[in-house]
Amino acid sequence: MPRVFISAAHKSSGKTTLTLGLCAALHARGHAVQPFKKGPDYIDPLWLGMAAQRPCYNLDFHMMQRDEIEQQFARAASGARISLIEGNKGLYDGLDLDGSNSNAALAKLLGAPVVLVIDARGMTRGVAPLILGYQAFDPEIRIAGVILNNLGGSRHESKLRAVIEHYTDVEVIGAVQHDASLQIAERHLGLVPANEQGAARARIQHVGERVAAQVNLDRLLAIGDSAPELSIALPRDAETSAERLRIGIAHDQAFGFYYSEDLDTLRAANVELVDIDTLHAQAMPEVDGLIIGGGFPEMLMAELEANASLRTSIRRAIEGGLPAYAECGGLMYLSQRLSWQGQTREMVGVVPGDTVMHERPVGRGYARLQPTGDDRWQETASIPAHEFHYSSLENLPADSMYAYQVTRGHGIDGQHDGYQRHNLLAGYMHRRGAGAQGWIAPFLKQVRVHKARATD
């Protein structure tokens, strides 16, 4: 399984744009490229998946066990000409002092050679000790090449190449000049989602062409081919005899934050996913359950409000007992009202609280949940999660029932998350759906119980 870990000395070095360009460039050459993203991220994987024309998968020590990471990598990488794993932040950055959840740890776990993206603005001779230090810090990490980014011209490039060649044994496989046309607009949670940009494919093509002209793709492939053989035992696919379920899933410009692994897991559990366009669909389809993931509903809150017939249909379905699961943007949509930039719009109204957007993050980063014992899903173990929201849910009744106590993070009110009403579970926290601690198994159990009762 040829593979390369794309990392950087620090965040905001341009590695996401370069990884995007590499995926697009290699795909344009006819290669099957499998992208991965380290960490709990929805936006970058949307872009990377579009560039590679293959779903991008997340790999994260907080949300997954080590064997789950290995198995997810092996499943997705099978059949690809090369896998590109994009790190988050810097190569050695991570939560723990020992680096056990760092990018370097993931590169070691997967035996992936590293290509280091270096933001070279203002740099000349100082690039050498930077590279030498990164090599020396952990000798088990193989830095197989560097890509110089944000160069100030051909003279700047020549100086850096000469310094690196003289002082190090690391190969420069790319030198990308500063180019404003490579930038992708940012907003409060990061890169603008690819599913929201009509011109996304054209932008990806442009980035791919510019990267292909300035990075030696043949050398990148050769580095990938030099990765050692991996021996990963995959568990047998579980056989399912369960009745097929139809689950509605909000999937449009407002809602699109779903892990590829979770969609695979749902389909493997004999689930037919029925896309619901919350901006244009007039009514709920005939489904056994409903999922509304994250997104940016505030950006389209006027359109969401205007589709009153669907909002009414969703509210009546949930109040009628339809099992539903909502995360972050989905919670916002299900609230009574959404306020942002001096405007307030009516939402679904099944959650008796009001969503208010703020200028600064309310909850951001890794989190952990402990079931309260009152949760209808009957979970017991501590649950890893993450959150990225600039909004708060206000005016909830004092007697609201919550599924989780927040032991790390903010959630709905700093103490609780997972608002429960009827057969709805909605919270700010993003969870992994697959795995022993995932939300998919208990959700589908609830759906099947409800369906069986409805047909009795």
Side-chain angles (χ1 to χ4, degrees), residues 178-197:
H178 176 74
D179 185 349
S181 73
L182 297 181
Q183 300 303 310
I184 298 173
E186 294 190 4
R187 71 154 61 121
H188 48 267
L189 292 187
L191 297 174
V192 174
N195 70 324
E196 200 178 293
Q197 284 205 355

Side-chain angles (χ1 to χ4, degrees), residues 108-360:
K108 280 197 285 189
L109 178 64
L110 298 178
V114 174
V115 168
L116 198 65
V117 176
I118 297 178
D119 185 343
R121 285 176 292 186
M123 247 186 201
T124 51
R125 195 166 177 265
V127 73
L130 173 67
I131 294 172
L132 292 169
Y134 269 70
Q135 284 183 298
F137 189 78
D138 188 345
E140 294 184 37
I141 296 295
R142 179 187 162 213
I143 299 178
V146 298
I147 298 175
L148 302 173
N149 194 29
N150 283 315
L151 291 168
S154 58
R155 185 178 177 185
H156 187 203
E157 177 185 341
S158 297
K159 287 182 178 180
L160 288 172
R161 284 184 179 273
V163 168
I164 293 171
E165 182 178 348
H166 181 76
Y167 288 103
T168 82
D169 60 357
V170 178
E171 178 182 6
V172 178
I173 68 167
V176 180
Q177 303 296 323
H178 176 74
D179 185 349
S181 73
L182 297 181
Q183 300 303 310
I184 298 173
E186 294 190 4
R187 71 154 61 121
H188 48 267
L189 292 187
L191 297 174
V192 174
N195 70 324
E196 200 178 293
Q197 284 205 355
R201 293 192 186 280
R203 177 60 62 86
I204 289 170
Q205 181 180 354
H206 171 72
V207 174
E209 290 170 352
R210 296 301 300 135
V211 168
Q214 299 174 89
V215 176
N216 188 332
L217 299 180
D218 290 331
R219 289 302 304 147
L220 181 74
L221 289 169
I223 290 172
D225 289 338
S226 72
E229 289 294 322
L230 279 180
S231 179
I232 298 174
L234 292 177
R236 294 180 59 183
D237 292 335
E239 296 183 5
T240 177
S241 59
E243 179 185 1
R244 189 163 178 80
L245 297 174
R246 280 171 52 88
I247 304 291
I249 183 168
H251 211 170
D252 49 43
Q253 287 184 306
F255 304 101
F257 291 177
Y258 302 104
Y259 289 131
S260 296
E261 179 194 27
D262 290 350
L263 300 180
D264 291 348
T265 301
L266 285 162
R267 295 185 183 106
N270 205 15
V271 169
E272 176 189 355
L273 294 174
V274 182
D275 284 351
I276 299 174
D277 185 339
T278 58
L279 305 175
H280 302 105
Q282 294 301 298
M284 279 277 292
E286 290 293 325
V287 292
D288 304 309
L290 174 65
I291 299 168
I292 310 177
F296 293 118
E298 71 276 13
M299 300 297 295
L300 294 156
M301 62 184 194
E303 292 85 346
L304 292 170
E305 180 187 55
N307 193 358
S309 62
L310 179 64
R311 289 191 291 111
T312 300
S313 180
I314 291 175
R315 184 176 67 253
R316 289 175 176 171
I318 294 175
E319 289 176 345
L322 182 74
Y325 177 65
E327 288 185 346
C328 201
L331 169 67
M332 296 163 65
Y333 179 55
L334 294 179
S335 68
Q336 295 184 113
R337 285 167 289 273
L338 172 56
S339 297
W340 186 44
Q341 296 184 337
Q343 296 188 42
T344 298
R345 302 286 183 172
E346 295 294 320
M347 295 290 109
V348 172
V350 75
V351 175
D354 301 314
T355 302
V356 178
M357 294 294 298
H358 305 281
E359 292 298 319
R360 295 181 179 277

Side-chain angles (χ1 to χ4, degrees), residues 394-412:
E394 303 180 356
N395 305 320
L396 276 175
D399 61 351
S400 295
M401 182 176 289
Y402 299 98
Y404 311 115
Q405 184 82 26
V406 176
T407 57
R408 175 179 176 152
H410 187 276
I412 288 177

Side-chain angles (χ1 to χ4, degrees), residues 23-173:
C23 286
L26 291 167
H27 176 73
R29 278 194 174 190
H31 297 302
V33 186
Q34 179 56 58
F36 296 89
K37 174 71 179 187
K38 181 190 182 293
D41 190 335
Y42 291 103
I43 300 174
D44 291 1
L46 285 171
W47 284 95
L48 295 173
M50 183 176 288
Q53 293 297 291
R54 290 170 71 106
C56 179
Y57 291 87
N58 296 71
L59 305 172
D60 180 46
F61 287 113
H62 179 67
M63 309 285 280
M64 308 168 74
Q65 300 297 317
R66 293 172 68 88
D67 62 336
E68 291 176 326
I69 291 175
E70 291 175 319
Q71 291 164 10
Q72 179 60 74
F73 177 80
R75 279 193 297 267
S78 177
R81 170 63 184 87
I82 188 170
S83 293
L84 298 182
I85 310 151
E86 189 209 336
N88 61 346
K89 300 184 179 180
L91 176 60
Y92 293 112
D93 291 330
L95 287 176
D96 297 333
L97 180 63
D98 62 2
S100 58
N101 61 359
S102 67
N103 293 277
L106 182 58
K108 280 197 285 189
L109 178 64
L110 298 178
V114 174
V115 168
L116 198 65
V117 176
I118 297 178
D119 185 343
R121 285 176 292 186
M123 247 186 201
T124 51
R125 195 166 177 265
V127 73
L130 173 67
I131 294 172
L132 292 169
Y134 269 70
Q135 284 183 298
F137 189 78
D138 188 345
E140 294 184 37
I141 296 295
R142 179 187 162 213
I143 299 178
V146 298
I147 298 175
L148 302 173
N149 194 29
N150 283 315
L151 291 168
S154 58
R155 185 178 177 185
H156 187 203
E157 177 185 341
S158 297
K159 287 182 178 180
L160 288 172
R161 284 184 179 273
V163 168
I164 293 171
E165 182 178 348
H166 181 76
Y167 288 103
T168 82
D169 60 357
V170 178
E171 178 182 6
V172 178
I173 68 167

